[in-house]
Amino acid sequence: MFSHNFLIVLAAVSLAYIGFNVRVPLMRVVIGKRMSKEELSTYFTITPLFSIVLPLLASFIAQESYTIDFVVAVIFIIIVILILFVIKSIVSLTEEKHTTITSHIPFKEYSKLMREDRSELILPLVLAVNRFIFGTSFLYIPLYFTEIIKGSLLELGIMLSTETIAISLASPPSKFVSDRLGNVTTLAMTRILAAITYALLYFIKSPVIFIIVNWVGTLFIAMDNVPEVSLFSKMKTANLSMSLIDSVSTLLAISSPLIALIIWVNISPASVFLLSLLVIIPSAIMFKYKHL
């Protein structure tokens, strides 16, 4: 926050990134096992709303001082931690009489279950590849928006806030479609639609239109929340499946900045968005498991 030393900044960001990503698979499994699809839809609709004003606030403060921006972020983190401790104590009291002990499944047992049902291995890997491709494709969206499209910091804040709105609005239609077409079909279709949408950014030069198209792409991306959590949390290998998605996509993403940079420098910055079209290939594989 206060240091200009590259190694210290790198270490701080790395630790924050590790801490955030360690909790994601477990959190999604926990909420998936405890909530119905209707409750998941409500959960993914309401929770993003708390983040709508934060990008605007951050971009506004950053125009004055980045240090103040970080201080405000730390204050919010402390408040959230205190709230989590309060929630934890309330949940513990309400669940004392309903606590069930989940038996630990050894890794060998996980491997056996995956050999018996290959879909529990293939689907997480396919989704991991999709995340890697998408992550590479829109890794430099903020930089592209400000440097190439010449959008202001305030417009960037607006774009990030509209992404949050899209994430919130995505859950009801996602549940509606997945109830009728199935979780896997919904995941495959929304990935393909998102791939096409992000590829359209290649042709856009206006900040306003860029924000709109990015909003639509985010909407399709966010439509994976309900069917993905609903599908994988019910699997026998739920914990491992969710971890595979995050771990493999993160491992692959190590090369994302380099791939995106090579395309940015040697072809054109806009060409990075065309990478998203590659998502169509692994997404098509998913239709083979549409019965799940």
Side-chain angles (χ1 to χ4, degrees):
M1 174 166 55
F2 301 106
S3 175
H4 296 282
N5 185 292
F6 172 73
L7 292 178
I8 294 177
V9 173
L10 180 63
V13 173
S14 299
L15 288 173
Y17 186 80
I18 291 171
F20 177 82
N21 283 278
V22 163
R23 70 168 181 83
V24 171
L26 177 60
M27 181 187 71
R28 292 172 77 84
V29 171
V30 169
I31 64 173
K33 286 183 177 295
R34 295 187 179 189
M35 296 182 186
S36 64
K37 187 176 280 191
E38 290 76 15
E39 291 171 330
L40 283 174
S41 178
T42 303
Y43 172 86
F44 285 117
T45 298
I46 294 177
T47 51
L49 295 178
F50 293 99
S51 302
I52 289 177
V53 298
L54 295 183
L56 286 173
L57 178 63
S59 61
F60 176 76
I61 295 175
Q63 295 181 86
E64 302 297 329
S65 170
Y66 284 109
T67 301
I68 297 176
D69 211 349
F70 280 117
V71 170
V72 172
V74 170
I75 292 173
F76 273 117
I77 291 171
I78 293 173
I79 293 173
V80 169
I81 291 173
L82 293 175
I83 292 174
L84 287 175
F85 275 115
V86 174
I87 293 175
K88 183 178 182 296
S89 63
I90 294 174
V91 172
S92 297
L93 288 173
T94 56
E95 291 190 345
E96 279 182 352
K97 296 181 180 180
H98 302 91
T99 303
T100 57
I101 300 174
T102 303
S103 59
H104 173 71
I105 302 178
F107 183 78
K108 288 184 178 180
E109 184 64 22
Y110 273 127
S111 302
K112 180 182 176 182
L113 290 171
M114 285 193 162
R115 287 195 299 271
E116 293 173 352
D117 187 354
R118 290 181 178 271
S119 65
E120 299 202 10
L121 174 63
I122 294 175
L123 285 176
L125 291 178
V126 168
L127 286 175
V129 171
N130 279 353
R131 287 190 185 182
F132 160 65
I133 296 173
F134 276 132
T136 305
S137 182
F138 52 68
L139 179 66
Y140 292 139
I141 277 184
L143 178 64
Y144 183 88
F145 184 78
T146 54
E147 296 298 321
I148 308 300
I149 300 295
K150 301 302 180 183
S152 66
L153 277 178
L154 182 59
E155 288 172 325
L156 177 62
I158 292 173
M159 182 175 73
L160 296 176
S161 290
T162 58
E163 287 179 354
T164 304
I165 295 173
I167 294 170
S168 178
L169 294 178
S171 295
S174 176
K175 177 189 175 299
F176 178 84
V177 175
S178 62
D179 282 344
R180 283 150 184 79
L181 300 181
N183 291 325
V184 177
T185 300
T186 302
L187 286 171
M189 288 178 56
T190 54
R191 301 310 85 195
I192 292 172
L193 290 171
I196 295 171
T197 302
Y198 277 111
L200 293 176
L201 294 175
Y202 176 87
F203 304 98
I204 295 171
K205 305 300 179 185
S206 164
V208 174
I209 298 177
F210 192 97
I211 289 173
I212 293 172
V213 174
N214 180 68
W215 184 88
V216 175
T218 303
L219 182 72
F220 286 132
I221 286 287
M223 286 183 70
D224 73 343
N225 281 327
V226 173
E228 180 182 299
V229 173
S230 179
L231 174 66
F232 288 107
S233 63
K234 303 301 185 292
M235 289 182 172
K236 295 177 182 178
T237 57
N239 292 324
L240 185 58
S241 295
M242 286 291 191
S243 298
L244 273 175
I245 295 174
D246 290 316
S247 299
V248 174
S249 58
T250 301
L251 182 62
L252 292 173
I254 293 174
S255 61
S256 289
L258 180 60
I259 294 172
L261 182 62
I262 290 173
I263 296 174
W264 181 293
V265 172
N266 294 302
I267 304 178
S268 72
S271 298
V272 176
F273 302 130
L274 297 180
L275 278 178
S276 66
L277 292 174
L278 294 176
V279 166
I280 295 175
I281 299 172
S283 296
I285 296 174
M286 295 177 66
F287 283 112
K288 181 180 178 181
Y289 303 97
K290 63 182 180 180
H291 60 282
L292 297 175

